[in-house]
Structure formats: C-alpha cells, structure tokens
Amino acid sequence: MSNKSALITGINGQDGSYLAEFLLKRGYEIHGVIRGGSTHNTENINHLLEDDKKINLYYCDITDSPSIFSIVSSIKPNEIYNLASQSHVHLSFSNAEYTANVNALGTLRILEAIRSLDLKCKFYQASTSELFGKTDGSPQNEETPFYPKSPYGISKLYAHWITKNYRESYNLFACSGILFNHESPRRGNLFVTKKIAKGLSDISKGNLDVLRLGNLNVKKDWGHAKDFVEAMWLILQQDEPEDYVIATGVQKSIREFVEECAPYFDISIEWTGEGLDEVGINKNTGKEIIKVDPKYFRPSDIDCVLGDPSKAKNKLGWCSKISFKELVEDMCINEK
Ligand code: NAP
C-alpha cells in the first residue's frame, strides 16, 4: 500500500470518481477539487465521502489562480491529476472562450503553481483523441500529427503542449494521456452513449416517444472509464515522463451502439430511409423511435476515430480489459 497523496481536479466527473476509487484502494490520501456555488455536486463521489475514507474536498474553480496556488501549496501532493474540464465538444462551439479558459489556461495555472512552488509532484494532463481531429482513417498513435476540429480540441491542444513545454523547460514530471472515448454509467447526460442508454430506457418505460441523434455513422473507439483511469496512474509510475495514447483499438459506430443497447430494453431496431430521413423502428411495436436530427451534428465532425495503444501496451503493460459488449451492458443495466 502506498502512503502517497494525490490531488484530483474534476473529482466528481466520470473519470475523477473512478480514479479516486482506484487510488483509495492503493492507499492514497485523496484531495479533490469541486466547484463551489450555492449547490455543490458530489453525486459520483458521495459513496467515497464516508468518515473512514481518506478523501478531502476543496472548492476551487480552475479559472481562479489564487485558489489553485493556495490548495497546491497547502497539500503539496505527490501526484496531481488534472481532469477538470469543460469536456463537451458540441458545447465548446457555443462556449469557445470559456472552454479555452478552463481547459487551456486552467492547465497552465496548475503547472505554474507546481513550478513556482518548486514542488516535486508528478502531473497528469487529460489529453484527448480530439487532438487528432481530421484523420485519414488509420489508427492514431503518439506520432500522428494533430489537427483538432473543435474549440474543445484546440483548448486541449494548448494544454497538451504547455504540459510538454513545462516538462522540457523546467524538468517537471508532467505527462499527458491522450485518451480516446471512454464511457460508463457515470457519463454525463449530454454525451451520446449515455443519451442512447437513457433514451432507450425512457422509451421502454413510456416516458419518451422519440430519441433524436446526430450522425449515426460516426465511428468511435469506446472503452470503459474504469480501465482508463488505471492507465492515468500507470503513466505517473514510470521512471521517465512521457505521453501515451490510451485506446481500445476497436471501432464501433453510433448505430452499433444503439443496436447493442436495444435488447436490454426489449427493443428490436430496424433502420429504414437514408441520411437525414433515416429512422429507427422498434419492430416489436412498429413505432418510429429514433430520428436523425441535424441539431446534433457538429459544425465540423470527426467521423472516424481509432487509437493505436501499442506504446501503452509495451511500456505500461496496459490494455483495455472491459469489452464493448460489457461496457454497453454496464450502462444499460444502470438505466433499467
Ligand atoms: P466530466 O465527467 O465532464 O468531468 C469534468 C469535471 O471537471 C467535472 O467534475 C466538472 O465539475 C469539472 N470542471 C469543469 N469545469 C471546471 C472548472 N472551471 N473548475 C473546476 N472544475 C471544473 O469529464 P470526464 O469524462 O470525467 O473526463 C475527465 C477529463 O478527461 C476531462 O478533462 C476530459 O476533457 C478528458 N477526456 C475525457 C474523455 C472521455 O471520453 N471521457 C476522453 C479524453 C479526454 P462539475 O462536476 O462541477 O461539473
């Protein structure tokens, strides 16, 4: 068991909550950042906040340098995991400046706190496959050039490069995990996987007539968040600070995600029509339950995402263990 301490920004997010569970099992003392306000949201970590657990929460918005400095200097953690982010790609088109402030400058603020306080702590940055953006369809690895296609991806590109820059300029143990999509029952409601699982559940309960989705043909490399947080930790346990692509290496379309979810809710899908006119019919009831809605198309979409996790496999000994089927099962059973 470890006697290390870790600071997790975004601890109540999907990944933050799984990472906190993972580190608690390894004996870490956990410090977590949540946003303040008249209400505070701890729904993903309430089960970890019992008396005997070593978890301490701080109110801090990563747009606020003084509070970051104050928290980092008082805790002096061994490891910092920067998971806080305006993480929704579609929303970033309408909130581009805010997205940059949180995702890009927020990362700089934390690195600057580590540097100026001369801390020896290790730093993990939550980079993303959205850095690659435009792709020729081949699997993306650490050598693939970046071409982000959203304000979210561009804000994360700054964060990625400033992390590398602080590593090279100031000799910080600062690394990025370039994570491909990962999902779970704790995924936010606006993300397509959660929207599908919840939407089909609502339809089966009679609470929703039609589930509206964007481009059904977009292909993603989807893993389970529980697997991916282990990779974050492994990246910081290496002798040398490096960046890693973390992915399953398996690609599925949004259409396939729907088809895999449907049986959990006694729905049998048949597709008919094309393009914007395509609909999904529940063969059991004859009702149109899925429609394509251009509202959910991104101004510039990435339609083919596939990661090559070879470096992570060879150097970290990491590979994704939870299959696509098991991921869908976990999400759907949670919605029953
Ligand atoms: P998430 O569920 O959206 O969690 C993000 C967390 O950041 C939330 O807890 C949120 O707080 C917090 N946050 C947002 N703005 C903040 C601010 N200004 N100050 C402090 N905290 C703030 O995201 P996730 O799926 O766990 O992802 C974790 C990280 O990995 C993110 O940086 C994301 O961009 C990145 N990433 C995710 C994926 C993926 O597929 N999930 C893939 C690649 C990279 P509230 O709880 O108050 O909203």
Side-chain angles (χ1 to χ4, degrees):
M1 292 292 263
S2 158
N3 55 2
K4 288 186 194 164
S5 61
L7 173 64
I8 305 173
T9 71
I11 193 167
N12 185 52
Q14 170 188 261
D15 292 4
S17 59
Y18 284 117
L19 179 65
E21 282 171 11
F22 178 90
L23 295 178
L24 278 171
K25 281 194 198 132
R26 278 154 188 80
Y28 276 65
E29 179 185 283
I30 305 288
H31 303 269
V33 162
I34 57 168
R35 286 192 278 184
S38 55
T39 55
H40 75 228
N41 180 9
T42 53
E43 67 170 333
N44 284 332
I45 50 170
N46 280 335
H47 61 293
L48 302 175
L49 299 177
E50 294 145 24
D51 294 345
D52 56 333
K53 304 277 172 65
K54 289 182 182 171
I55 187 159
N56 308 289
L57 291 183
Y58 306 79
Y59 289 117
C60 168
D61 193 300
I62 65 164
T63 59
D64 186 56
S65 298
S67 52
I68 293 174
F69 271 74
S70 157
I71 290 168
V72 171
S73 65
S74 70
I75 302 169
K76 296 188 178 58
N78 299 105
E79 297 170 6
I80 297 180
Y81 296 85
N82 181 32
L83 310 185
S85 153
Q86 190 305 89
S87 66
H88 199 269
V89 177
H90 200 108
L91 272 182
S92 76
F93 284 93
S94 50
N95 292 280
E97 181 182 329
Y98 174 72
T99 301
N101 193 3
V102 175
N103 298 1
L105 296 183
T107 306
L108 172 63
R109 292 179 188 109
I110 299 168
L111 287 165
E112 201 32 37
I114 299 171
R115 184 197 68 78
S116 61
L117 293 163
D118 199 20
L119 293 185
K120 295 293 162 249
C121 85
K122 296 182 173 181
F123 176 79
Y124 172 86
Q125 170 57 22
S127 283
T128 161
S129 53
E130 293 284 330
L131 298 181
F132 298 120
K134 194 172 159 180
T135 145
D136 64 4
S138 40
Q140 291 123 33
N141 63 25
E142 294 77 5
E143 307 308 320
T144 306
F146 296 135
Y147 195 128
K149 292 190 75 180
S150 64
Y152 169 81
I154 293 162
S155 68
K156 286 285 192 176
L157 184 66
Y158 177 89
H160 184 84
W161 279 107
I162 201 69
T163 300
K164 191 174 167 73
N165 180 257
Y166 270 54
R167 172 166 86 218
E168 292 171 355
S169 305
Y170 305 116
N171 208 22
L172 298 191
F173 196 107
C175 314
S176 292
I178 306 172
L179 270 54
F180 282 60
N181 289 69
H182 46 283
E183 318 295 313
S184 75
R186 297 182 197 165
R187 194 61 149 145
N189 286 335
L190 294 181
F191 290 88
V192 68
T193 51
K194 178 75 170 192
K195 194 175 147 183
I196 293 168
K198 185 169 183 323
L200 293 180
S201 168
D202 285 346
I203 286 170
S204 72
K205 292 173 187 162
N207 297 333
L208 181 73
D209 293 328
V210 175
L211 173 61
R212 295 179 187 279
L213 298 171
N215 186 349
L216 297 169
N217 299 319
V218 164
K219 289 185 173 172
K220 300 274 185 190
D221 179 330
W222 274 306
H224 197 301
K226 259 189 205 168
D227 270 349
F228 280 46
V229 298
E230 182 187 15
M232 298 177 187
W233 176 74
L234 283 168
I235 288 172
L236 293 196
Q237 311 315 308
Q238 304 308 300
D239 292 336
E240 296 299 327
E242 289 182 41
D243 304 328
Y244 294 85
V245 162
I246 304 297
T248 68
V250 176
Q251 208 178 34
K252 299 282 181 185
S253 66
I254 292 185
R255 184 189 305 281
E256 285 170 288
F257 199 93
V258 172
E259 289 165 356
E260 194 69 39
C261 286
Y264 288 94
F265 306 104
D266 297 324
I267 292 172
S268 175
I269 296 277
E270 182 175 66
W271 303 102
T272 154
E274 274 183 30
L276 293 179
D277 295 324
E278 183 166 8
V279 294
I281 293 172
N282 182 359
K283 282 200 277 183
N284 299 337
T285 61
K287 287 188 182 162
E288 288 185 3
I289 58 162
I290 294 174
K291 288 193 174 164
V292 177
D293 188 337
K295 188 169 94 182
Y296 298 111
F297 283 58
R298 293 183 195 168
S300 52
D301 233 333
I302 302 165
D303 43 20
C304 187
V305 178
L306 181 63
D308 169 10
S310 304
K311 178 178 173 185
K313 189 172 180 210
N314 296 335
K315 284 199 154 182
L316 304 177
W318 179 90
C319 65
S320 145
K321 298 178 201 77
I322 302 173
S323 69
F324 178 74
K325 274 182 183 297
E326 289 165 328
L327 165 68
V328 169
E329 183 179 24
D330 195 15
M331 293 186 75
C332 290
I333 285 176
N334 182 65
E335 296 299 334
K336 281 221 170 233

